Amino acid sequence: MNSQASDRNSRLGASLAFPASLIVLCVMMVPILMLFRYSFNHFEASVMVEGFTLENYRSFIHDPYYREVFLSTVYVAVVCTVLSLVLGFPVAYFLAKSQSRYKSLFIILLVFPLMVGSVVRAAGWMVVLGNAGFINYTLKWLGIIDQPLQLMYTPMAVIVGTTGVVMPYMILTLQSVLEGIDFSVEEAAQNLGAGFFTTFWRIVLPIATPGVAAGTLLVFILCMNAYATPVLLGGTGITMMAPALYDQIAKAYNWPFGATLALILVVATLAMALLSNWIIHRRYVKTMVA
C-alpha cells in the first residue's frame, strides 16, 4: 500500500511539474535556438544577411584576440570558483555545526548581499581598489607606498570582485549539504585517534562531495557569464566573453558573430561544468566504495 501511494504521489508530482517544466524549457531553448541560427548568417555592410556559413566560427578560432578573451574567461572562472570553495567551505562548515542562537542572523547577513545588484557591489569594490581608495589610502598612511598601486582595471580586481559576488551561492549550497551530515561520525573518528585534518579529509570532505559538486557547478556557470563586474573592475585591462559578445551585438550590430560568441560561451560553460561535476562524482563514488 505504501509503495502504491508513493507511486501515485510521484506520478502526481510529475504531472504537476510537467507544464511548468515545459514552459521553462521553451523560454530557455527558444533564444538559444535563435542564436544558433543567427550564428550561420552573413554580416555584410552592417546588415545581417540570411545564409549558411561557418565563417563566424572560423573567425573566432583564427583570431588570437578572441582566443585570448576565451582563455581569460576560463582562467577567471576557475580561479574564482576555487577561491569561493576554499574560502566558503570553512564558513559553511561553521554554520552547519553552529548551535548558536545567532545562526539565523549569520545566514541573513550572508543572504543580504544577494539582494544588492552586481553593479552596486562592483561600485563598492571600485571605492576599495581605486587609486584614492581604501587600500591605497591605508598603505600610504602607513608609509608602505609613496605612489598608489594600480589595483583597478586588472585581472586581480575582476577576480576579487567576482569572487565576492558568487561566494554566498557557494556557502549556502555547501551549508545545506553539510547540515545533513551526522557529525557523530566525525567525533567517532577523532576518538579513534584521527586528527582534525585527517578527519576532514577522510570523513567530512567525501560526504560533502555532492555539495561541493553542486556549488562549484553553480559558481563556475555564474563566473563564466559575468558581465557587470568585468566591465566595471576590469576596464580595458581584461576582456571576458560576456562583454565581448555584448559589444558585437549592441555596438557593432554584428549579430552573427555575437551569436557565435554566445553559443561558444554556452557550450563551453556546460561542457566544462559537466566534466568537472563528473570528475567530482567519480571521486566521490571511489571514496565511498573504498
Side-chain angles (χ1 to χ4, degrees):
M1 295 294 293
N2 291 333
S3 62
Q4 293 178 354
S6 177
D7 291 340
R8 284 198 300 270
N9 290 335
S10 298
R11 288 195 294 269
L12 178 61
S15 62
L16 292 175
F18 178 76
S21 301
L22 183 62
I23 293 174
V24 171
L25 182 63
C26 292
V27 170
M28 292 177 60
M29 290 304 300
V30 169
I32 293 176
L33 292 175
M34 291 180 64
L35 288 176
F36 180 75
R37 177 63 188 92
Y38 286 171
S39 67
F40 296 105
N41 288 339
H42 301 272
F43 184 69
E44 299 177 1
S46 301
V47 177
M48 181 173 65
V49 180
E50 292 285 339
F52 185 86
T53 179
L54 297 176
E55 183 60 32
N56 298 310
Y57 292 94
R58 283 195 292 265
S59 298
F60 174 82
I61 294 173
H62 295 296
D63 192 329
Y65 171 77
Y66 287 103
R67 290 203 305 268
E68 182 179 352
V69 167
F70 177 77
L71 294 177
S72 298
T73 303
V74 174
Y75 169 75
V76 170
V78 170
V79 172
C80 291
T81 302
V82 173
L83 286 176
S84 298
L85 179 60
V86 173
L87 298 176
F89 200 103
V91 179
Y93 183 76
F94 166 77
L95 291 175
K97 292 194 68 175
S98 176
Q99 300 296 326
S100 172
R101 60 179 179 175
Y102 299 109
K103 180 177 180 178
S104 298
L105 177 61
F106 294 150
I107 295 177
I108 291 174
L109 293 175
L110 183 64
V111 174
F112 181 75
L114 301 179
M115 304 178 185
V116 181
S118 299
V119 175
V120 177
R121 280 181 280 180
W125 281 112
M126 293 172 71
V127 174
V128 174
L129 300 174
N131 289 342
F134 175 77
I135 294 179
N136 277 311
Y137 176 82
T138 303
L139 293 177
K140 289 181 68 175
W141 181 72
L142 294 173
I144 298 176
I145 60 174
D146 295 325
Q147 299 295 327
L149 301 175
Q150 181 61 43
L151 302 177
M152 280 289 295
Y153 311 124
T154 62
M156 184 274 293
V158 176
I159 290 173
V160 170
T162 305
T163 302
V165 169
V166 301
M167 191 178 297
Y169 296 100
M170 177 68 78
I171 295 174
L172 292 173
T173 304
L174 290 173
Q175 184 218 350
S176 64
V177 175
L178 290 172
E179 284 190 338
I181 295 178
D182 184 1
F183 287 104
S184 62
V185 178
E186 181 184 5
E187 296 173 358
Q190 292 176 350
N191 291 334
L192 292 173
F196 174 80
F197 291 103
T198 302
T199 303
F200 174 80
W201 185 256
R202 300 293 298 273
I203 303 296
V204 177
L205 188 58
I207 298 176
T209 298
V212 173
T216 53
L217 181 65
L218 174 61
V219 168
F220 181 78
I221 291 175
L222 292 174
C223 292
M224 284 287 288
N225 294 274
Y227 174 78
T229 304
V231 169
L232 294 176
L233 299 182
T236 58
I238 180 173
T239 303
M240 295 176 63
M241 286 290 286
L245 71 89
Y246 174 82
D247 290 342
Q248 287 296 319
I249 292 176
K251 296 181 179 180
Y253 301 107
N254 190 345
W255 277 84
F257 192 62
T260 301
L261 294 179
L263 261 296
I264 291 173
L265 178 60
V266 170
V267 172
T269 301
L270 291 178
M272 286 184 284
L274 293 176
L275 177 62
S276 63
N277 192 53
W278 176 76
I279 293 173
I280 293 173
H281 275 290
R282 187 179 180 185
R283 177 179 174 81
Y284 172 71
V285 172
K286 286 184 177 180
T287 304
M288 291 295 101
V289 171

